[in-house]
Structure formats: C-alpha cells, structure tokens
Amino acid sequence: MAYETIIVEIEDYVATIRLNRPEALNALNAKLMDELSRALAEADRSDKVRCMIVTGSEKAFAAGADIKEMSEKSFTDVYLDNLFTGPTEKIMAVRKPIIAAVSGYALGGGCELAMLCDFIIAADTAKFGQPEINLGIVAGIGGTQRLTRFVGKAKAMDMNLTGRFMDAAEAERSGLVSRVVPAAKLMAEATGAAKKIAEKSLLATMVVKEAVNRSYETTLREGLLFERQTFYSLFATEDQKEGMAAFLEKREPQFRDK
Ligand code: CAA
C-alpha cells in the first residue's frame, strides 16, 4: 500500500515504519496518524510480520502533534473529530510487539507515540518532553498518564508543568526507555531486538505483551491470576513442547505458532 507520510519496509519478519514528514520534524498530523495506525494494523494481520519498529529521522522521532493543523481548531472540531483518539485506539489494539526507535526529538505527541509502543530504544541524542504547556494546552494521548506510570509523579509533574526536555541518559535512569545506544547504532540495535523477538513463538510474544500491559490496568492479584492462566494455557501449545524439547536436546527451537 502506498503511503504519503510514512515509509514501510518488511524484512526478516520485521516491519519497520519510518515517520516521514521531514519538513515538520515528523509532526503528527491527521494523515500521518491515520496512515501509521493503518500500517500497524496491516502488519499485525500479516503473516510476513512478527514484530514492528516505529522510528523517525536522526533529528526527530516526532516533534509532537502538528501545531499548524491544530491551531485553528475549536473545541467543537476536536471533540466531534475525536482528535487522535481513533488512531491511538487502533495502535493500542495491535497484538504483536512494537518497538519505538527514538533519535532526536520525541516531544508532546511524539513522546506519547513512543510510549504507546511496547518499549523504547533510544539513541544518545534522544530528547523526550511534554511541552504542551507552552502552547496553553496539556498532553492529549498519554503524557500525563503513561509518563506518570513510567517515570513516577515527580518527573511527570516536572516535565508536564515546566515543559523541559529529558535527555536519553535521564530517560534510561527514569525507566522511560529500555536501552540507550550511540545514534549511529540505533537501527541496528532496534532491528536486532526485533529479529530476536520475531524468532520466538508468536503465541508467547503476544501473551507477554498482553500480560505486561495488563499490569498497568489492574491490581497485582488480578494481574497475577491473568499471568497464571496464560502461563498454564501455553502448555496446550505445540510450541511449548517444541521449546522444552529443543532445550533438552541442545538445539534451536523451531516454533510454528501452534
Ligand atoms: N507541529 C508543526 N510543525 C512543527 C512542529 C510541530 N509540533 N515542530 C516543528 N515543526 C516545524 C517548524 O515549524 C519548522 O517548520 P518551518 O521550517 O516551516 O518553520 C520545522 O518543523 C523545523 O522546526 P524548527 O525550525 O522549530 O527546528 P528547531 O531545531 O529550531 O527546533 C524543536 C526543534 C525544539 C523540536 C521545535 O521545533 C519545537 O519546539 N517544536 C514544537 C514542539 C511541541 O510543542 N510539541 C508539542 C505539540 S502539541 C501535542 O503534541 C499535543 C498532544 O499531546 C497530542
């Protein structure tokens, strides 16, 4: 499928989706959000894809929602359009793992998009921020909610109230990103992680995603019950037999997603 604002490449069961609005530092306009969410949904359905990467350019993952596009909108416009809600719900419904590979600015909606992915690998040049306060608004797709769960109240308040940026080292220290690598190695690192995930049983990777995300939605006891049920249920799969047999036979497993 041809897209205008993103570039999609599929190789070795990994779909890499590059945001591509260089003239606006990959600002998220309605078209980009629509195309991105459609591309992710399509990759989720494709048997050629087992893991996805969302990335931007060297200078910007995404510098936020498109301020030009938003500037003339009224409350009625954004309320009736359900601004950003449709695409973000669609991204949240993706069941295969998504890695955000972040270089440069990940601000406002850009930081929120990275947090919508399952984990973030950052270049040492990455800068995260929720600067919406400078525009007389607040974050709209997770900047006060997901960020608080990831980095805690103190840093989330600080970032949302002052609009300051967090560099890659602070983001790693704070639990916002899983790894920081030199900028030149970002895509190799993200692709390496995605390929590793793509080798596993898809059943197990989808369960991991569902279970870890569940921990943000429920109590510890309910989450543990959910985990226990999914743990038990994987014993009904051929991949569990294969994975354990391969270990005992000292060979690589051949998972078949069954
Ligand atoms: N929307 C639209 N255009 C943007 C943009 C955005 N969020 N961010 C950057 N651009 C455009 C600039 O207008 C500029 O275009 P022109 O060349 O046509 O003037 C181009 O991208 C390059 O940007 P700068 O010249 O500003 O580049 P810089 O290196 O001097 O600064 C920056 C980089 C610090 C990221 C700066 O561009 C900036 O502060 N951007 C806005 C960040 C922001 O406020 N994001 C939050 C948006 S609101 C939001 O996201 C709501 C939500 O939660 C959903």
Side-chain angles (χ1 to χ4, degrees):
M1 196 177 296
Y3 295 107
E4 281 175 35
T5 61
I6 58 172
I7 297 167
V8 182
E9 282 171 4
I10 299 176
E11 200 184 314
D12 295 337
Y13 295 100
V14 174
T16 301
I17 302 175
R18 186 175 290 279
L19 311 185
N20 188 36
R21 295 192 66 219
E23 72 286 0
L25 300 184
N26 293 332
L28 311 173
N29 62 6
K31 181 154 204 96
L32 185 149
M33 288 303 287
D34 175 57
E35 292 190 344
L36 174 63
S37 60
R38 281 196 288 124
L40 286 167
E42 197 183 325
D44 205 29
R45 286 190 301 269
S46 167
D47 56 12
K48 304 245 173 329
V49 177
R50 303 168 70 82
C51 189
M52 304 157 208
I53 299 172
V54 176
T55 194
S57 68
E58 210 178 308
K59 180 164 182 191
F61 176 75
D66 190 312
I67 300 169
K68 208 182 223 173
E69 189 179 73
M70 285 187 303
S71 63
E72 297 300 323
K73 291 194 188 289
S74 66
F75 165 77
T76 316
D77 294 334
V78 298
Y79 187 77
L80 293 183
D81 278 2
N82 224 357
L83 184 70
F84 291 129
T85 304
T88 51
E89 295 281 341
K90 220 172 181 174
I91 296 170
M92 284 166 67
V94 171
R95 299 180 71 203
K96 293 173 186 166
I98 311 173
I99 300 172
V102 173
S103 177
Y105 296 111
L107 305 177
C111 184
E112 294 167 298
L113 173 61
M115 291 189 290
L116 258 173
C117 299
D118 296 308
F119 65 97
I120 302 173
I121 299 181
D124 52 6
T125 56
K127 289 188 179 61
F128 299 88
Q130 298 295 157
E132 290 90 340
I133 194 95
N134 299 329
L135 302 169
I137 56 167
V138 298
I141 50 175
T144 66
Q145 302 301 304
R146 284 196 183 89
L147 186 68
T148 308
R149 284 166 166 78
F150 293 166
V151 305
K153 180 180 172 185
K155 280 190 189 285
M157 280 287 190
D158 181 358
M159 297 194 40
N160 277 283
L161 286 172
T162 67
R164 81 169 173 90
F165 301 163
M166 193 185 250
D167 66 18
E170 185 181 4
E172 188 181 30
R173 244 185 0 256
S174 311
L176 179 57
V177 311
S178 72
R179 320 176 188 182
V180 177
V181 295
K185 298 204 169 129
L186 177 67
M187 289 318 292
E189 186 80 11
T191 306
K195 283 186 184 167
K196 215 171 239 318
I197 292 167
E199 287 168 5
K200 319 285 184 212
S201 165
L202 191 57
L203 295 164
T205 61
M206 283 165 63
V207 165
V208 167
K209 172 164 176 160
E210 201 176 351
V212 174
N213 282 334
R214 182 70 65 108
S215 75
Y216 279 97
E217 307 283 352
T218 191
T219 62
L220 178 60
R221 179 155 291 273
E222 288 302 318
L224 287 168
L225 283 171
F226 180 78
E227 181 188 84
R228 192 174 73 185
Q229 285 314 119
T230 54
F231 170 64
Y232 290 163
S233 64
L234 286 174
F235 282 73
T237 67
E238 289 178 20
D239 282 351
Q240 174 263 339
K241 305 283 174 293
E242 168 61 11
M244 295 191 182
F247 175 82
L248 295 173
E249 292 160 17
K250 301 189 189 303
R251 60 172 174 85
E252 289 300 312
Q254 301 294 319
F255 292 122
R256 297 171 59 228
D257 307 332
K258 286 182 194 285

